[in-house]
Amino acid sequence: MSLPADRVVVRTLVSLKLRLLANGLRRSPGRRALYVIGSVVGLLFTAAIATGFAFLHGHDGAADATVMLTTSLVIGWAALPLFLFSSDESSDPTRLTMLPLRPGPLLRGTLLAALIGPGPVIALVLLTGAGIAAAAGAVSVPFAVLGVPLTVACLVTLSRAVAAGNAKLLSSRRGKDFAIFGGLLFAVLVQVGNLASQSVFGRAGESGLDLSPLKPFASVLRWIPPVSALDSARTAGDSVPLALLQLAATGALLVLLLRWWRRSLQDLMVTADSSTLIATKSVGRSTRNLFPEGRVGAVMQRHLRYAWREPRAKAAVFTSIGMTLVFCVLSVVQGWGTVYVVVMAGLMLGLQMVNLFGMDGSAFWMVSSTLATPADARDELRGRAYAVVSYAAPVSTLLGLVLAAATGQWSELLPALGLTYAALGAGVGLGALLSVLAPYAMPADSSPMRNAAPGQSGLVALNTFGSMLGVAAITAPVALLMLALPGWVLLPVGLGYGLLLALAGTRFAAGRLLDRLPEILATAIER
């Protein structure tokens, strides 16, 4: 007997998710081994955390810790789709909206498919340990048994409802820009939370684990669904009707999320994308006087336009700036602040020269067709180097001034900037060399969260960490001069040394560019 059409749709969507997971392991033995090892290590780490929570059972404040863990999971599941939307193909509802499917079966199938994968398993393990910690006797067992899977279902539904409700925005270029800035903000907030937790728990001392600082926050959060579902295990020890009310509140939230998700899917199926219906006007603006004449200026404009418009390039630039800002804030807040932290900005931004041609992708064949002479090769790399320096140098200088003002180390500003410019020049020169000698392919999609094509992860890691170590080694002589020269002398010395390294690196790379052009072109267009 044939199955009803709706059940066939649901079964097909679930089998597609299983096939996606299985196919991800078939690309190469190395990828399969990394996936298995990463999954095992992740599950062991998760199991260790869950076990730690389980051992808190009976401890004062265990239920408060459970509330804070559940709240963190809720925030993470709600926020991560906004930042990782384009890196997870199974979470993009627009891939299915053109198919002749009804919203009901599509919703059920995608919900069951979303429950398959490492994310829900990790959440289930963590919440199981948290449920054991919060339990208050035998009467809490049925509430924990119901609360844990109900909370997991709410987390998954919340994540997919947010993704579907913002699908049009997140699939656009502006949405990818939002993902970049939102991801940086999320990373900063995580560090702020880390600092706050360190300051809160710093009073624990030698008396043992003190969870009392969590009580004011947990006393409010435990009544907010879906956190309330897991906290019902604690409440059941005092009042069963109140615990039932907490479960009912989470069930009502789940129904509302499912309705929002269904409405979003239906809108995606029947509503045209307005971005394709609006005719835009291009406003020309002369920038001729801002850039050098000839090929160098044209290459510089093109590279800066890529850095602003291409999501992966923009993600790389702003991630470097964001990481430097995080370290600056941490150094000042934790009391080890120094103006020399700005050297990190020169290091990170200078390495934006790494894999120049791989970032171009298939468009590099048009660039390669114009590289006929050694002068063309030199101008190509010089233009790209000028573009990187045009934003790296001002940003590094500004961060140095801010750090000097925050720490009061104005006397150390000039040598710190000298080291920064030396690291910037070393990064530009070494990045140009690696772009020519060790290019790697980028993925076909423009997700800002993916920076390597399948099979290229090892080469990417080698480029990243090798270039960092290389810049640190090359810049070391300037740092050693701090012991023999007055501080202010390091500014011109570092500036001249960085300029020399950048010129030498780009010139040597330009001499090899024409010889390696076929190999670079094949790598750039590889997907």
Side-chain angles (χ1 to χ4, degrees):
M1 184 177 64
S2 61
L3 293 173
D6 290 355
R7 293 179 60 185
V8 172
V9 171
V10 172
R11 188 179 65 176
T12 301
L13 292 173
V14 173
S15 64
L16 283 174
K17 180 60 177 289
L18 294 173
R19 185 63 58 87
L20 284 174
L21 293 175
N23 288 345
L25 301 175
R26 295 178 180 175
R27 294 182 177 178
S28 66
R31 183 182 178 89
R32 185 185 303 111
L34 288 176
Y35 183 84
V36 172
I37 294 174
S39 299
V40 172
V41 172
L43 286 176
L44 290 176
F45 182 72
T46 303
I49 296 176
T51 304
F53 268 87
F55 279 115
L56 287 178
H57 178 71
H59 190 283
D60 291 338
D64 298 334
T66 295
V67 169
M68 300 308 296
L69 172 65
T70 311
T71 303
S72 301
L73 289 175
V74 172
I75 295 174
W77 278 81
L80 288 181
L82 301 177
F83 313 139
L84 303 178
F85 176 80
S86 55
S87 63
D88 184 5
E89 297 177 352
S90 63
S91 67
D92 186 359
T94 59
R95 297 177 179 268
L96 301 173
T97 52
M98 296 302 294
L99 298 176
L101 301 175
R102 291 188 295 174
L106 179 60
L107 175 64
R108 292 192 295 271
T110 49
L111 175 58
L112 291 176
L115 291 170
I116 300 172
V121 172
I122 290 174
L124 181 63
V125 173
L126 288 175
L127 291 175
T128 299
I132 296 174
V139 69
S140 300
V141 173
F143 289 91
V145 171
L146 291 175
V148 169
L150 183 59
T151 305
V152 173
C154 270
L155 293 178
V156 174
T157 305
L158 174 63
S159 175
R160 294 310 171 103
V162 170
N166 299 276
K168 291 182 180 179
L169 171 65
L170 297 176
S171 58
S172 64
R173 184 171 65 87
R174 290 188 177 182
K176 293 173 181 177
D177 293 344
F178 167 78
I180 296 169
F181 294 112
L184 292 176
L185 178 61
F186 187 74
V188 172
L189 291 177
V190 169
Q191 292 298 329
V192 171
N194 181 37
L195 290 175
S197 64
Q198 290 179 7
S199 63
V200 167
F201 291 107
R203 303 190 298 269
E206 299 179 356
S207 59
L209 183 61
D210 182 15
L211 299 176
S212 59
L214 299 178
K215 189 176 184 61
F217 306 99
S219 61
V220 176
L221 295 172
R222 63 170 30 103
W223 304 109
I224 302 175
V227 181
S228 60
L230 203 64
D231 188 67
S232 64
R234 176 201 64 86
T235 308
D238 299 326
S239 173
V240 172
L242 196 56
L244 290 174
L245 184 61
Q246 287 180 302
L247 285 177
T250 303
L253 175 64
L254 180 59
V255 172
L256 292 176
L257 289 174
L258 289 172
R259 289 178 63 87
W260 178 29
W261 189 2
R262 180 189 176 102
R263 178 68 61 85
S264 300
L265 291 176
Q266 187 170 355
D267 290 342
L268 289 172
M269 290 178 174
V270 300
T271 305
D273 186 0
S274 59
S275 64
T276 63
L277 305 177
I278 300 176
T280 59
K281 295 182 179 180
S282 59
V283 180
R285 181 179 299 176
S286 176
T287 57
R288 183 176 303 173
N289 296 329
L290 299 178
F291 300 96
E293 296 290 337
R295 183 187 181 101
V296 174
V299 171
M300 188 176 177
Q301 292 184 59
R302 184 187 68 214
H303 190 85
L304 289 175
R305 189 172 290 115
Y306 280 2
W308 180 251
R309 293 184 176 179
E310 213 281 335
R312 288 172 302 201
K314 183 182 292 187
V317 173
F318 284 96
T319 299
S320 300
I321 298 175
M323 290 178 62
T324 306
L325 285 174
V326 169
F327 272 92
C328 292
V329 172
L330 288 177
S331 67
V332 174
V333 172
Q334 294 183 342
W336 52 274
T338 172
V339 72
Y340 288 98
V341 176
V342 73
V343 178
M344 182 179 178
L347 170 66
M348 300 295 293
L349 292 174
L351 292 178
Q352 300 306 309
M353 284 286 290
V354 173
N355 200 37
L356 292 172
F357 309 117
M359 186 68 72
D360 288 353
S362 58
F364 182 65
W365 75 269
M366 299 182 65
V367 176
S368 65
S369 64
T370 65
L371 298 175
T373 65
D376 293 335
R378 286 195 300 270
D379 290 344
E380 179 71 26
L381 290 176
R382 282 173 55 199
R384 295 179 185 245
Y386 288 169
V388 171
V389 173
S390 68
Y391 60 78
V395 168
S396 301
T397 304
L398 179 60
L399 287 177
L401 293 172
V402 172
L403 273 174
T407 60
Q409 299 177 357
W410 290 102
S411 61
E412 303 294 327
L413 177 60
L414 295 183
L417 289 179
L419 284 174
T420 302
Y421 298 146
L424 175 59
V428 169
L430 186 59
L433 282 173
L434 291 176
S435 295
V436 173
L437 300 178
Y440 55 87
M442 302 292 287
D445 62 88
S446 58
S447 168
M449 303 301 174
R450 299 177 62 186
N451 62 350
Q456 300 282 314
S457 300
L459 187 58
V460 174
L462 183 62
N463 267 267
T464 301
F465 294 105
S467 57
M468 287 184 179
L469 293 176
V471 170
I474 296 173
T475 313
V478 178
L480 293 177
L481 291 177
M482 294 175 59
L483 303 176
L485 297 176
W488 64 270
V489 177
L490 286 181
L491 178 59
V493 169
L495 182 61
Y497 186 69
L499 181 61
L500 179 64
L501 291 175
L503 291 175
T506 53
R507 189 172 185 85
F508 183 80
R512 300 293 308 275
L513 178 57
L514 293 180
D515 296 335
R516 292 184 51 82
L517 194 58
E519 182 178 347
I520 296 173
L521 179 59
T523 302
I525 64 177
E526 179 184 350
R527 289 294 185 268

